[in-house]
Amino acid sequence: MSIVESKGLGQRYGRRWVLSDLSLKVSEGITILLGPNGAGKTTLLETIVTMRRPASGSLHVLGLSADRPRERREIRRRTGFLPQHFGYFSNFTCREFVEYCAWLKGVPSKQTRALAAQALDRVNLADRAEEKMRALSGGMLRRVGIAQAIAHEPPLVVLDEPTVGLDPQQRIDFRNTIRLLSANMNFLVSTHLVDEVAHLSGEVIVLSNGRAVFIGTPEELERRGNAQVVGDTAMERGYSAALAPSTTEGGQ
Amino acid sequence: MTPLRYELRRGVIVVILPLLVLLHSLVVYRLIWPNTAVWLNMSSAVVAGNILSGPLAAAMAAWIAMRERRRRTEYLRLTSARGDAAAPAIELLACVIVVLIAYTVALIGGIAKVIFQATWSGPNWAWIGVGALGLVLLTVVGYFLGRLLPKLWTPPLVALICYVYSGWNLGHSGKPWAYLSPVSQQDVSVFRSINSTMLLGQFLWYCGLTALLVSVGVWVVGISKSRPNGIQTIPIAVSLAVSTLGAVVVVSQHGRFLERQHDVAYRCSATQPVVCVHPAFAKGLPQLSQLFASLEAKLNGTPASFSRVEQLDRSPQLHPTPGAGRFGLDSLSEADLQYALSDYLDWANIGGPACLERSMQESDSAANVQLVRSWLVNSMAEFQPTGPAQIERLKWFRSLTEVDRRKWFRENYASIASCSIPDSAFGG
């Protein structure tokens, strides 16, 4: 089953089309959305979590249409989102913030506390639950960000550039957390760091100029780069090959 | 509700709440008549407290409305399964709750100041409620502006505009449109009731405008992320109609906030002369009786003599019972009790405002009348002579015995009443 399916999806800012005629299917598990800056990754993710309405084409998330108000609401209930610039209320404690987010996701007030505690526990922040958000390090904040995204136990969690600004150790911790959580949830993670793919992914989508130029497994992406000389690793070479104009037809 | 509880515990609200209480209470305490416990005055003071707490409430709401931009938390609103308006609704609700708590605390303070000594009636709940709605309206306006202009200077600007507008509007009190403002300071009189039609108009206007802003806000949020539909415009149309109706009702009252005089069951002294006061001022009756008895003793034998005086509003439209004199009384403070005598003398035309004006223009005879008045109202010690000649006249007048002064007063009453008593009357 496809977690996300788009057909001819378009999205624009004013007259500039950021996504155009984007057709893709995202399978269950962890999917990495790869692409250079300005490729349209954030716009696509924001459209998937219904922050933006599709300007053209169709988008189905978890089998629900992103164009119908009731189904959009249901999509919101069933998705979690960590934006690239993770905004939070600095004077809330971690628990309060996660509870607040869970409530916004439609969780009844009586259940928010237990779910927030569980989510913080899952990201190894149970002992920091009562600390103010402003007291946390960058890595911990990302973990709270994940906690708020998973607190309502959504089938799909969307993470936009979650490892930006993290040091190597924090990245490793972060990846471990995602791997553990992926046993129960599907993840769609955007990044412009190619090496993330090898560590996390079951599936890779490479986006360039608002179009999917590759959809496949990490291995397929590596193979794509066999003839490419740009890049230090096989994955980087595959990525460069996917972005090259001659390969814009995609990897499938 | 969990999020609301957390919103209410947020830093800015925790800091602002006591400040709101302080500012509102400050106005209330300043406007409550000294030494006097009158519910109507307390109600008026609580409503007028909006002049300081209103701008602060609006600024606080604007600041909270900007949080989404400051904290980059737009994603929370736009991915909320409870709808795009859920997060703003919680924020706005928290602001409204805080200002209502502040208003209620100030109200309780006002009640505490009055409750043990009040002798008449009770709080005007309708007016107090409308005042609370005015404060809520200011809060919603502030929130709306904060959303519209999420800049750092927005909250102070909102506070400034709100304060300046309120001050300007108070300066135009009495104009038909002045009562559309959510901030009003109304001088009250225990002899007049509040115009209930005006209150109804204000209620509709405040409610309608608040609902209009909220529904427009919800609509704007709605159209930005999903297709608008006709149902969303119904609340806008209804609230627009309600606010328009309210505005029409308010303006149609032509600034008449107080009704005509209503019948008063006076409380009167048992001794002569009979002094009658409004029941709300009953506590001042013993002292007033003494003061008026002393005045009557001096006026005895002149046309200004009286056997009954009644407290009344200073409005010239109100008249005492035939045969009775009248006086105004603003509060039961020493100064105002004393001033009641002056007020009676004004009414009896002994050195009244016209004469006082002449004394300002350095008319000797008018200044002489003021000297006599100071004796009548027991404040000769405070009389300020304007020159050496008047010092001499004061010295002469003081040298008389009380009996001689009264005799002298009766003899010179006609020229005193006509504000033309010559210098020669003071011992040649």
Side-chain angles (χ1 to χ4, degrees):
Chain A
M1 178 201 165
S2 295
I3 299 295
V4 177
E5 185 172 353
S6 74
K7 281 181 190 162
L9 180 67
Q11 192 62 273
R12 63 181 177 183
Y13 296 110
R15 289 182 178 177
R16 190 171 69 88
W17 286 89
V18 182
L19 300 177
S20 55
D21 198 24
L22 180 65
S23 298
L24 54 80
K25 287 183 180 179
V26 175
S27 309
E28 292 180 341
I30 300 176
T31 301
I32 294 285
L33 187 61
L34 206 57
N37 290 333
K41 301 188 295 294
T42 296
T43 303
L44 174 59
L45 296 188
E46 287 182 351
T47 309
I48 288 170
V49 297
T50 73
M51 281 178 72
R52 301 177 188 283
R53 252 183 57 217
S56 65
S58 71
L59 174 67
H60 283 79
V61 181
L62 301 164
L64 300 158
S65 169
D67 221 23
R68 297 193 190 117
R70 282 195 181 171
E71 294 185 30
R72 282 164 62 82
R73 191 163 283 198
E74 196 53 35
I75 291 172
R76 291 178 174 192
R77 203 180 296 276
R78 296 196 203 173
T79 54
F81 181 52
L82 172 62
Q84 186 175 350
H85 301 288
F86 171 52
Y88 57 91
F89 306 141
S90 56
N91 49 359
F92 274 42
T93 66
C94 300
R95 179 181 56 75
E96 287 171 350
F97 183 70
V98 176
E99 274 193 61
Y100 182 90
C101 297
W103 181 86
L104 285 176
K105 285 295 187 180
V107 174
S109 290
K110 286 180 182 172
Q111 296 172 23
T112 54
R113 198 179 182 99
L115 288 174
Q118 181 182 302
L120 287 167
D121 189 39
R122 281 168 142 180
V123 297
N124 295 323
L125 279 176
D127 55 337
R128 303 271 183 157
E130 298 305 326
E131 269 187 39
K132 295 269 187 188
M133 297 279 283
R134 60 169 165 257
L136 302 182
S137 67
M140 285 178 188
L141 280 174
R142 290 298 158 115
R143 274 148 67 190
V144 176
I146 295 173
Q148 64 80 24
I150 65 169
H152 57 295
E153 300 188 315
L156 172 63
V157 180
V158 177
L159 310 176
D160 190 7
E161 303 270 10
T163 54
V164 168
L166 298 187
D167 64 35
Q169 184 56 48
Q170 285 173 329
R171 274 191 209 171
I172 292 168
D173 292 344
F174 180 83
R175 287 197 291 256
N176 288 337
T177 305
I178 299 298
R179 259 195 294 271
L180 282 171
L181 292 170
S182 66
N184 303 313
M185 294 164 183
N186 302 292
F187 280 86
L188 177 56
V189 184
S190 83
T191 182
H192 63 276
L193 302 174
V194 180
D195 60 337
E196 296 283 334
V197 178
H199 294 102
L200 274 176
S201 180
E203 188 175 44
V204 185
I205 298 170
V206 179
L207 215 58
S208 177
N209 294 321
R211 292 169 188 271
V213 293
F214 175 88
I215 300 175
T217 63
E219 293 74 27
E220 286 170 339
L221 184 61
E222 283 181 348
R223 279 202 295 277
R224 174 67 64 90
N226 282 346
Q228 192 78 13
V229 290
V230 180
D232 294 333
T233 63
M235 192 65 75
E236 283 180 352
R237 286 192 287 277
Y239 175 62
S240 297
L243 292 178
S246 58
T247 57
T248 50
E249 293 307 309
Q252 285 180 319
Chain B
M1 195 165 33
T2 308
L4 184 61
R5 207 170 64 235
Y6 296 154
E7 287 285 358
L8 289 171
R9 280 168 39 191
R10 283 182 36 225
V12 66
I13 279 180
V14 171
V15 173
I16 295 289
L17 176 60
L19 205 56
L20 278 171
V21 171
L22 183 76
L23 291 180
H24 205 110
S25 303
L26 198 72
V27 177
V28 172
Y29 271 69
R30 279 190 64 112
L31 292 180
I32 284 185
W33 296 332
N35 300 336
T36 317
V38 176
W39 286 114
L40 192 60
N41 166 234
M42 190 282 294
S43 308
S44 158
V46 169
V47 173
N50 288 3
I51 191 155
L52 283 188
S53 61
L56 183 64
M60 175 193 73
W63 176 253
I64 287 175
M66 290 161 49
R67 179 178 64 163
E68 183 178 292
R69 184 67 66 92
R70 285 197 322 272
R71 302 288 183 197
R72 294 177 132 172
T73 53
E74 190 187 30
Y75 72 97
L76 291 176
R77 175 168 61 86
L78 297 179
T79 61
S80 171
R82 292 182 187 270
D84 290 353
I90 289 289
E91 289 175 350
L92 183 56
L93 191 58
C95 294
V96 168
I97 287 174
V98 163
V99 298
L100 288 181
I101 288 174
Y103 190 85
T104 308
V105 172
L107 171 65
I108 290 169
I111 289 174
K113 198 165 189 299
V114 170
I115 194 164
F116 297 111
Q117 293 179 332
T119 50
W120 176 71
S121 190
N124 189 323
W125 293 114
W127 193 11
I128 290 169
V130 167
L133 287 176
L135 196 56
V136 169
L137 173 59
L138 285 174
T139 308
V140 173
V141 168
Y143 188 85
F144 207 74
L145 290 175
R147 280 263 161 198
L148 223 56
L149 288 169
K151 306 282 181 196
L152 264 180
W153 44 260
T154 304
L157 186 70
V158 164
L160 185 69
I161 290 173
C162 187
Y163 185 75
V164 169
Y165 166 71
S166 301
W168 176 83
N169 191 69
L170 288 179
H172 291 80
S173 222
K175 301 270 188 210
W177 41 262
Y179 292 96
L180 294 173
S181 164
V183 175
S184 63
Q185 185 190 334
Q186 179 62 48
D187 291 331
V188 289
S189 162
V190 287
F191 294 93
R192 290 161 177 266
S193 55
I194 304 299
N195 180 352
S196 52
T197 311
M198 176 74 91
L199 282 187
L200 176 68
Q202 285 189 323
F203 172 80
L204 294 174
W205 167 245
Y206 297 159
C207 283
L209 205 55
T210 302
L212 183 65
L213 286 172
V214 170
S215 49
V216 164
V218 169
W219 187 65
V220 168
V221 165
I223 59 170
S224 65
K225 299 300 161 193
S226 62
R227 291 194 177 94
N229 54 52
I231 293 172
Q232 287 174 315
T233 57
I234 291 174
I236 296 176
V238 170
S239 49
L240 188 63
V242 170
S243 55
T244 307
L245 176 66
V248 168
V249 171
V250 169
V251 172
S252 70
Q253 297 304 299
H254 302 289
R256 190 170 52 84
F257 199 86
L258 301 176
E259 292 280 22
R260 291 177 186 283
Q261 181 185 16
H262 55 77
D263 290 335
V264 178
Y266 277 116
R267 295 269 183 90
C268 298
S269 62
T271 52
Q272 284 294 328
V274 177
V275 179
C276 295
V277 293
H278 189 280
F281 288 82
K283 277 181 76 76
L285 204 47
Q287 210 174 338
L288 276 171
S289 298
Q290 279 183 1
L291 288 169
F292 273 102
S294 117
L295 178 65
E296 210 286 322
K298 292 169 185 169
L299 297 178
N300 201 2
T302 70
S305 175
F306 58 91
S307 59
R308 178 186 171 99
V309 278
E310 292 174 355
Q311 181 196 2
L312 260 186
D313 190 298
R314 289 202 180 80
S315 162
Q317 298 156 346
L318 304 183
H319 301 288
T321 311
R326 65 179 282 178
F327 64 95
L329 184 61
D330 293 327
S331 78
L332 296 180
S333 69
E334 283 294 329
D336 280 336
L337 286 170
Q338 197 70 38
Y339 191 75
L341 302 183
S342 293
D343 218 57
Y344 172 77
L345 293 177
D346 284 351
W347 179 79
N349 207 19
I350 301 172
C355 186
L356 184 66
E357 201 175 317
R358 282 174 59 191
S359 78
M360 301 280 192
Q361 294 161 357
E362 297 182 4
S363 157
D364 279 351
S365 57
N368 291 341
V369 173
Q370 297 312 315
L371 190 159
V372 177
R373 251 179 87 118
S374 72
W375 163 66
L376 289 170
V377 299
N378 311 314
S379 63
M380 212 159 38
E382 288 96 56
F383 181 74
Q384 300 287 323
T386 50
Q390 203 169 44
I391 290 172
E392 284 305 312
R393 290 195 285 275
L394 178 63
K395 208 180 279 181
W396 177 83
F397 197 66
R398 274 186 174 155
S399 70
L400 298 178
T401 64
E402 186 62 20
V403 175
D404 289 342
R405 272 188 217 139
R406 289 177 188 182
K407 184 167 172 270
W408 177 90
F409 179 71
R410 283 194 293 275
E411 286 167 0
N412 293 283
Y413 177 80
S415 52
I416 292 168
S418 61
C419 198
S420 57
I421 184 163
D423 296 348
S424 56
F426 291 83

